[in-house]
Amino acid sequence: MDISQTVEILLIAIAAGIIGAMLGLGGGIIVTPALTLLFDIPIQYAIGASIISVIATSSGSAIAYIKDRITNLRVGMFLEIATTIGAVTGAFIGGLLSETALYMIFGLLLLYSAFNMIKKAGTEIPTNVHPDPIATKLNLHDHYYDKALRQEVDYKVANVPAGFGVMYGAGVASGLLGIGSGAFKVMALDVFMKMPLKVSSATSNLMMGVTAAASATVYLFKGDIQPTIAAPVAIGVLIGATLGTRIMQRLKSRVIRMVFIPVLIYVALQMILQGLGWI
C-alpha cells in the first residue's frame, strides 16, 4: 500500500470517527465498505480494521462523554449483560437458524425504529416518560448538562425489559452474523427506553468499545488485523471521534436525529437486501 492510499484511508477514517462518535455507531459502517469498494481490500481485513475502528471510536469519545456526564454508566454496564449473553447465544446457534430470516427480522426492526424516530423528529427531550420500577430500583435515572440547550436535563429510564430484549437481539446479531450492532444499541436506548438521544449515542459508544475489545482478540489470532491497514484507520478514527464528541454536544438532538435516520434506513435496507440475497 502506497503513501497516497494510506492518506486517503486516514481521511476516510477521520470522517468515520466523526460520524461514529456523533451517532453511537462505531464508524465501522463507513470503514468496511470504503476499504472493500474503494481500495479492493479483502473483506476479512476490512472487518478486522472495522473492529479496530470501533475500539478507537469508543476510546476517543468515551473520555469526553464520561467527563461531561452524558454517558449513563449504570445503563451501559447493565445492558452489557444482555449483549454478552446474546453474543454467546449467537455463536452457539450459528448454523441452526437461517441467516436470511435473521437479516430480514433485524432489517425490519431497524425500519420500525427509523419510523418511530421520524415521528419524534422535532422532539428535543423525551416527554411523558413513565419511569420503569426496575430502572428506579437499579438507580438508572440520571441527568446531564446539554451544551446546545444550555440547561441541565433530568431524564427517566422506561421499558427496561424491552431495552434488555433488544440488546440481547443485538448481541445475537453480532455473534451470529458478524455485524456491528451500534444501530440496535441506540434504538434500544432511544426508542424503547425513552432516553435522550445524546445519552443514547454516548452510552452506545461506550458499550460498543467493550464488545469490540472482547472480539478483537479473535480477529487478531485469525490474522485478520493487518497493521498497514488498521494503523491509519485507528489513528484517523481516533482523531475523528475526538472531533465528533465536540460537534455532537453543540448540536441539538433533533439535528442529530435527522442525520441518524437516513443512516438507520440505509443499514436496514442493506440487511433486508442481504437477506433476500440481492447483494
Side-chain angles (χ1 to χ4, degrees):
M1 184 177 296
D2 56 36
I3 296 178
S4 62
Q5 283 185 319
T6 301
V7 172
E8 289 174 359
I9 291 175
L10 180 69
L11 294 175
I12 291 172
I14 291 174
I18 292 173
I19 295 173
M22 284 176 56
L23 305 181
L25 298 179
I29 189 175
I30 295 175
V31 170
T32 299
L35 293 179
T36 54
L37 298 177
L38 299 180
F39 302 99
D40 294 323
I41 291 174
I43 186 65
Q44 66 269 25
Y45 299 146
I47 293 174
S50 177
I51 292 292
I52 297 300
S53 78
V54 173
I55 298 173
T57 302
S58 181
S59 301
S61 61
I63 295 175
Y65 288 147
I66 292 173
K67 181 181 176 182
D68 292 334
R69 295 183 57 83
I70 298 178
T71 302
N72 191 316
L73 289 173
R74 286 180 177 271
V75 169
M77 292 301 99
F78 173 67
L79 294 180
E80 273 294 344
I81 298 172
T83 55
T84 301
I85 296 174
V88 173
T89 304
F92 273 109
I93 65 176
L96 299 179
L97 296 178
S98 167
E99 286 193 7
T100 298
L102 284 170
Y103 273 117
M104 295 295 291
I105 291 170
F106 289 127
L108 292 172
L109 188 60
L110 288 177
L111 281 181
Y112 167 79
S113 175
F115 174 72
N116 277 277
M117 284 192 172
I118 290 172
K119 286 199 301 183
K120 57 179 183 179
T123 303
E124 192 62 37
I125 300 172
T127 56
N128 299 321
V129 177
H130 301 289
D132 191 301
I134 298 174
T136 302
K137 197 165 188 177
L138 295 176
N139 195 24
L140 301 182
H141 311 305
D142 207 345
H143 60 89
Y144 73 101
Y145 181 77
D146 194 307
K147 293 182 179 179
L149 299 177
R150 297 181 181 179
Q151 69 180 62
E152 193 77 17
V153 176
D154 291 301
Y155 62 90
K156 305 295 182 182
V157 177
N159 301 329
V160 171
F164 198 89
V166 174
M167 285 293 182
Y168 174 79
V172 172
S174 296
L176 188 59
L177 304 178
I179 62 172
S181 55
F184 292 101
K185 288 180 171 67
V186 176
M187 175 180 65
L189 298 168
D190 176 68
V191 176
F192 290 91
M193 299 176 73
K194 311 297 182 184
M195 294 169 59
L197 184 58
K198 289 186 178 181
V199 177
S200 300
S201 175
T203 305
S204 172
N205 265 311
L206 174 69
M207 295 178 66
M208 287 189 69
V210 175
T211 306
S215 60
T217 306
V218 177
Y219 286 92
L220 182 63
F221 282 111
K222 285 170 60 180
D224 291 342
I225 298 179
Q226 295 292 311
T228 54
I229 302 171
V233 167
I235 294 171
V237 167
L238 190 60
I239 295 171
T242 303
L243 296 173
T245 56
R246 297 180 181 179
I247 295 172
M248 190 270 266
Q249 295 190 57
R250 299 294 178 183
L251 295 177
K252 291 189 175 181
S253 292
R254 59 175 174 266
V255 176
I256 300 172
R257 198 179 302 279
M258 294 311 295
V259 176
F260 188 83
I261 289 171
V263 175
L264 200 60
I265 294 174
Y266 168 77
V267 176
L269 293 177
Q270 285 286 102
M271 297 192 77
I272 292 172
L273 293 175
Q274 184 79 30
L276 294 172
W278 292 355
I279 59 174

